[in-house]
Amino acid sequence: MTAAGIARLAGVGRAAVSNWRRRHADFPKPVGGTETSPAFALRDVEQWLRDQGKLAEVPLRERVWQQLVGHPAGAAGALRQAGAVLLLVRDRPAAWKQLRGASQDADLTGVLPAMLDSVLAARLGDGHPVGGLTREALAPSAALVRATADLAALDGAPEAYEFLLGRHLDANPRQYTLTPPGPAALMAELAALDGPLGSVLDPACGVGGLLTAAQERAAGQPDAPPPALHGQEADPDLAALTALRLALRLPDAQIRVRSGDTLRADAFGELAADAVLVHPPFNERNWGHDELAYDPRWEYGFPARTESELAWVQHALARLRPGGTAVLLMPPAAASRRSGRRIRADLLRRGALRAVIALPAGAAPPNGIPLHLWVLRKPDGATRPAPHLLVVDTAGPAAGGSSGSSGPSGRDKLDWQTVRATAVDAWQLFVRDGGVEELPGVRRSLAAIDLLGDDVDLAPARHLPPPAAAGGPAELARVRDRLTDTLARTTEITPRPAPRATATAPARWPLTTLGELARTGALVLRAGGPGTAAPGAPVAVLTDHDVIGAAAPSGTLPETSPATPAEEPVLVQQGDVVVPVLGGGAIARVVDEATAGAALGRNLTLLRPDPAALDPWFLAGFLRGTANTRQASSYASTATRLDVRRLQLPRLPLAEQRRYGKHFHDLATFEEALRLASRLGEQLVQGMYDGFTEGSLAPE
């Protein structure tokens, strides 16, 4: 087990485990892993924790998880068994109670396979992917079976499985690509706005996030019957785990999950679904190009080997009823690659592609690129093809827009509620009216015939006028007035160094270090790092990028969940001083009222001065001295790290500190005015370039 597992076992933070390793010579030695992520023997760790009085009894959750990880069938195989048992406990409690009375393990595991097969067939239908539940496979699982049932009694069967599956996914992050809840809910909502969700298919269902979102969306519609959910997954283990997850989580839904390669071996060839939701694998070359050349699904053209995403688009259309809706999460390159232009053109000509919605970067993995949502409707052959395509770009609204913005620089915080509202409002109007009022930089209806050029480029950003030019001369005049006022203010508050005639020689103050001040109680040192927020109560995080860029808090704490135990964050208060410890140079930020309450992010150190001993602006000002940060930095690696305890302050009376602090505060005010002037200047310059080149401005 890793250090994180030890922390969970003992109910402490990872920092405590690191301290135990340093301070206790008898702490168990690593038995595997790497130098940066060592692995320890579970038995040795448990014994050491008991000897130290840090572990009276292994918590039930941890005991079940340990049995899963150490199971002969592997974690995935053990999860199949645990999930099937949980389904039996929930759906047939009387039968389980009778079975639980078996005193011998052999009696328990001998009868169990037939009962599990029965409950799985009743819930998931014949041909479900949850295999491997034979008597031989279950023989070593009696302890796991009993502990899993105990966990169900404690937490509930669905919650117990969510915890175990979530822990498994967290332990193997590179093995699975998950669709976040926000985009999944948005995709289901877009599909529901175009018609009922009576039957839904996800042909690359992963862990079932899109199917769950569809069921939750349908449940919110009055008098709507539970939807029939169909999913297929190439990974047989994941298909089994997803089938169990859906069966436990959605007791009212009809669920059919199958294992297999969807493009090569479609398990739902006769299905005509109301909606298809899919987050397909991206950039696959081995998707079946050579074997599937004459497949009838390629109604809009045979996809090139490099266009696997367009194969998924056509598969989705083939599995829809006439008039049904498909929503796919797509890489942005699929909207513009020349190799796919003929298929895109035919999708437009025949009215199948209705909308392309650009999401901000970070909305879904891979998080480094702004993915697109494609919304398609299967032509019914009776109505004329839709003449327009809706294009939407949610990135600008999600970041607060760029026109007229005067907020601090730095990384924009993703506002998912605004992303959702921007996409849903545009699609709702488009479905109702066949078009939308143009909002520059945000949305536009395009005539399909105008897009049928050489490239058939459907990227929304290529077809939306920039918001800076949208305001026209009036908006640019307001920016110019603000810039003029700001420049005048910077002139007024420009600091005046003392004339040479009155300048003094360099001061020789008695000095002290922050480490010494912390030991005497004049200030408190806290390191930023992990933490969680209560569900439904988001907490902003002040990151090191925010401090370096003088930006508002841009991060968000993860919510506490069965897979993410509660961990108390460090919250900043007004008057605290925050210092980046990696690559920041001479930077120190005094926390103001607007930032107070945010959690302290990683690679930051918080200094909380005693107001009776230290002035915060005096503290921050002297920490920004170049010589001070240079002598407290480490050059042992390529990333310079600041040893905050070595930073020095002069020993001055509080009244003298406040005199210096006032000047440091004035310098910070001047610095912020310069930043604002820079942003306004860039906005004015780019706006005038756009105005001249687009014709909204003319040279005088």
Side-chain angles (χ1 to χ4, degrees), residues 276-290:
V276 175
L277 307 177
V278 58
H279 179 179
F282 297 161
N283 302 319
E284 279 201 342
R285 297 297 183 98
N286 185 27
W287 58 267
H289 178 271
D290 296 337

Side-chain angles (χ1 to χ4, degrees), residues 324-420:
T325 303
V327 184
L328 289 89
L329 191 60
M330 301 281 280
S336 56
R337 281 190 297 243
R338 287 187 60 82
S339 54
R341 65 189 186 279
R342 292 183 180 177
I343 295 177
R344 292 195 299 271
D346 208 31
L347 290 169
L348 288 173
R349 287 192 193 97
R350 299 173 60 179
L353 182 58
R354 305 304 316 285
V356 177
I357 301 171
L359 301 177
N367 292 304
I369 59 176
L371 302 180
H372 290 175
L373 292 177
W374 284 25
V375 186
L376 303 106
R377 183 184 296 161
K378 185 169 184 174
D380 59 13
T383 56
R384 296 181 59 186
H388 290 91
L389 175 76
L390 172 67
V391 292
V392 182
D393 189 349
T394 64
S402 58
S403 179
S405 173
S406 61
S409 61
R411 297 186 304 178
D412 294 322
K413 180 181 178 181
L414 179 59
D415 181 354
W416 182 255
Q417 291 303 319
T418 301
V419 171
R420 177 204 157 274

Side-chain angles (χ1 to χ4, degrees), residues 516-543:
E516 179 62 27
L517 291 171
R519 283 192 293 272
T520 60
L523 60 80
V524 174
L525 282 169
R526 298 290 300 276
T532 55
V539 176
V541 175
L542 183 68
T543 70

Side-chain angles (χ1 to χ4, degrees), residues 451-463:
L451 295 168
L452 301 176
D454 290 340
D455 292 331
V456 197
D457 191 335
L458 308 181
R462 306 282 173 85
H463 303 287

Side-chain angles (χ1 to χ4, degrees), residues 14-178:
R14 292 184 63 177
V17 178
S18 299
N19 287 335
W20 293 343
R21 293 185 63 196
R22 286 196 301 268
R23 294 167 53 191
H24 297 277
D26 61 339
F27 190 87
K29 303 302 181 186
V31 295
T34 64
E35 185 176 348
T36 56
S37 181
F40 303 85
L42 171 62
R43 182 176 300 176
D44 295 344
V45 170
E46 283 187 357
Q47 187 60 51
W48 187 86
L49 290 172
R50 287 195 180 94
D51 293 343
Q52 296 291 324
K54 302 179 187 299
L55 181 67
E57 182 180 356
V58 178
L60 178 59
R61 282 184 168 186
E62 290 300 323
R63 191 162 70 246
V64 177
W65 172 248
Q66 292 160 17
Q67 290 172 347
L68 282 170
V69 174
H71 198 279
L79 266 174
R80 291 189 189 209
Q81 299 177 13
V85 169
L86 289 169
L87 194 61
L88 175 65
V89 170
R90 192 198 64 183
D91 287 3
R92 301 182 182 178
W96 166 252
K97 184 177 181 180
Q98 182 179 1
L99 181 63
R100 180 67 186 270
S103 58
Q104 299 296 321
D105 288 350
D107 295 338
L108 174 66
T109 57
V111 180
L112 199 56
M115 299 186 70
L116 295 181
D117 284 344
S118 175
V119 73
L120 288 168
R123 193 70 187 87
L124 298 171
D126 295 332
H128 64 78
V130 190
L133 302 178
T134 63
R135 179 176 299 186
E136 293 74 19
L138 288 167
S141 303
L144 173 63
V145 168
R146 297 182 194 276
T148 300
D150 291 341
L151 187 58
L154 178 68
D155 293 342
E159 293 76 13
Y161 192 71
E162 286 292 324
F163 163 72
L164 296 173
L165 179 59
R167 182 72 70 83
H168 176 65
L169 297 175
D170 288 345
N172 301 275
R174 297 185 179 181
Q175 188 174 344
Y176 306 108
T177 299
L178 309 181

Side-chain angles (χ1 to χ4, degrees), residues 584-597:
I587 295 175
R589 173 170 169 176
V590 179
V591 175
D592 58 13
E593 184 178 1
T595 306

